[in-house]
Amino acid sequence: MYGPGVAVAARPALEAGVPDSRHRTTRDSLSARPISVAADTTLICSTGGTDPVLLEQLREGGLPVGTDLREFGSEAEFALRVAEVMSDGQVIALEYPQPTSMCPDERAVKTAQLVGYLNNKASITTLVDPRFQARRSVVPRGDLVEATPWEKSWVLKAATNDSHGGSLDVYLHEAGEPIALPAFTDVLGEFVVEEYLHILRNWGIQLYVGADAVARLLAVTEQRVDDTGVYVGGRFGLVTPPPPELLAECVATTQRAADVGYRGLCSLDCAQTRDGQLVMLDLNFRITSGSIPLLALESIRPDALDGHAESLKLTVAAPMADLLAELRPALAAGGLLITSGHDTTRTDSPVRQSTLQLLVFGDEPDDVTARRTALEAKAGH
């Protein structure tokens, strides 16, 4: 998909006005997610994801672990790895926009401007057929209070071409509930206010654009969200299929992005509401937490896609070795795969935190859900 001579950098940039300490853990962890499926692709990744015990566990699971890992443990080292890759003659597939002073457009598979534009929450209006758009408006900071009344329900999203440290969560407000605006409203100047939808089904349509500039469907996943509407994992394999017209629009939207230069993976968040409306909620033109488990299964257990699988994330304030040791009985029992991990203590981050992304799979959906729930409960999630 990315081809020889292409290095992947899946790390958000540090944005002006945002303290590095606030989002450093997220930014580094995102860079390490593709390690398990990178194979011989050059990957610029955090040392937090290259713990030898973790890499050995990924290999034991049969995954095509990256063999050309360009590690960084600090902000300065990240810039050095980018420069080294370019000096090797490789071009870089930036999954998030980086400053052109670090990576000039001519050295990138897709320009920072294009990646930023495609991932801007306001861009749906220019890429998606109006039939599949929720009602929304782009609101400047000065009008935000008026556009987000306490007595009505609404959804708030960031409207920016910047990656903002990978921390741009969606905020949902139900009528009459207290309002606690997210941190990004303190630093951004423009926002998307969208109608609050009552969702029946929630899908992640996984697609990719290869070197031939053709958009192709990879798979359909379903999304699990918590009570606040934040993504907490996906369902893979035998999921409820979306209506054909929605699937066709997802391919068409991705092709529109391909026509203006996008190459790589993408995941389009879609939904069917309780009253039958079909909508495209978010465009994620980058490697996502839905694409990595899917690629992992397709690499080593394609038969599992004829069954059921659910992804989850475990985060603890303990060393990676301790977390792995606790999981070994479940790993030995089968039906469980680690797809990525990150330990902040291997970087210069002041935060002490270990994270693992896992995939539970099997033939019975209730059994898969029960095992996933038990793992989350064991880790205090």
Side-chain angles (χ1 to χ4, degrees), residues 11-12 30 48 84 89 91 102 106 124 132 149 158 175 197 212 234 264 285 291 295 304 332 337 346 377:
R11 188 196 197 215
L30 291 176
E84 288 172 2
V91 292
M102 176 182 292
E106 61 270 20
I124 283 183
F132 299 95
L197 299 172
D212 61 359
F285 282 95
S291 52
L295 293 174
L337 183 68
R346 288 175 54 82

Side-chain angles (χ1 to χ4, degrees), residues 95-96 115 118-121 124 168 170 203-207 223 231 253-254 262 264-270 280-289 291:
E95 299 301 291
Y96 296 85
V115 173
L118 292 176
N119 287 288
N120 189 322
K121 304 297 185 185
I124 283 183
L168 298 177
V170 173
W203 295 281
I205 313 300
Q206 312 292 334
L207 306 104
Q223 301 197 54
Y231 175 88
T253 297
T254 305
Y262 185 77
L265 291 161
C266 65
S267 176
L268 309 187
D269 296 347
C270 304
M280 208 173 295
L281 300 173
D282 280 311
L283 311 179
N284 303 298
F285 282 95
R286 57 181 179 268
I287 293 171
T288 68
S289 55
S291 52

Side-chain angles (χ1 to χ4, degrees), residues 136-274:
R136 57 174 59 202
S137 57
V138 178
V139 178
R141 179 197 291 273
D143 297 338
L144 184 59
V145 173
E146 184 179 354
T148 55
W150 169 80
E151 69 275 9
K152 294 183 179 180
S153 296
W154 38 263
V155 179
L156 181 68
K157 302 177 181 180
T160 175
N161 281 11
D162 295 330
S163 59
H164 199 65
S167 62
L168 298 177
D169 291 330
V170 173
Y171 178 78
L172 287 79
H173 171 72
E174 291 190 67
E177 294 294 319
I179 296 177
L181 293 177
F184 65 73
T185 58
D186 295 332
V187 294
L188 299 182
E190 202 168 52
F191 311 92
V192 172
V193 179
E194 190 175 88
E195 66 177 313
Y196 190 105
L197 299 172
H198 296 280
I199 294 175
L200 177 65
R201 297 285 183 191
N202 195 319
W203 295 281
I205 313 300
Q206 312 292 334
L207 306 104
Y208 70 97
V209 179
D212 61 359
V214 175
R216 293 181 175 86
L217 177 67
L218 189 60
V220 174
T221 63
E222 285 188 285
Q223 301 197 54
R224 297 189 297 108
V225 296
D226 63 17
D227 293 338
T228 64
V230 175
Y231 175 88
V232 293
R235 295 189 178 92
F236 305 79
L238 295 178
V239 301
T240 304
E245 60 269 34
L246 180 60
L247 205 56
E249 179 56 26
C250 287
V251 175
T253 297
T254 305
Q255 187 59 56
R256 292 178 194 119
D259 291 344
V260 294
Y262 185 77
R263 304 291 182 269
L265 291 161
C266 65
S267 176
L268 309 187
D269 296 347
C270 304
Q272 182 177 36
T273 64
R274 296 190 183 280

Side-chain angles (χ1 to χ4, degrees), residues 11-16 27 75 78-79 82-83 86 92 94 96-108 110-113 115 161-164:
R11 188 196 197 215
L14 174 63
E15 297 302 330
R27 295 167 61 229
E75 201 70 41
F78 175 71
V82 172
M86 290 191 295
I92 302 181
L94 300 173
Y96 296 85
Q98 296 286 345
T100 54
S101 57
M102 176 182 292
C103 180
D105 288 346
E106 61 270 20
R107 303 307 304 274
K110 46 213 174 187
T111 68
Q113 182 180 15
V115 173
N161 281 11
D162 295 330
S163 59
H164 199 65

Side-chain angles (χ1 to χ4, degrees), residues 1 15 33 55 72 77 103-104 109 134 173 187 193 200 212 233 236 279 299 302 309 313 317 330 338:
M1 184 180 303
E15 297 302 330
R33 286 193 306 196
L55 295 184
F72 64 88
E77 287 180 358
C103 180
V109 173
H173 171 72
V187 294
V193 179
L200 177 65
D212 61 359
F236 305 79
V279 292
S299 296
K313 180 173 74 172
I338 296 174

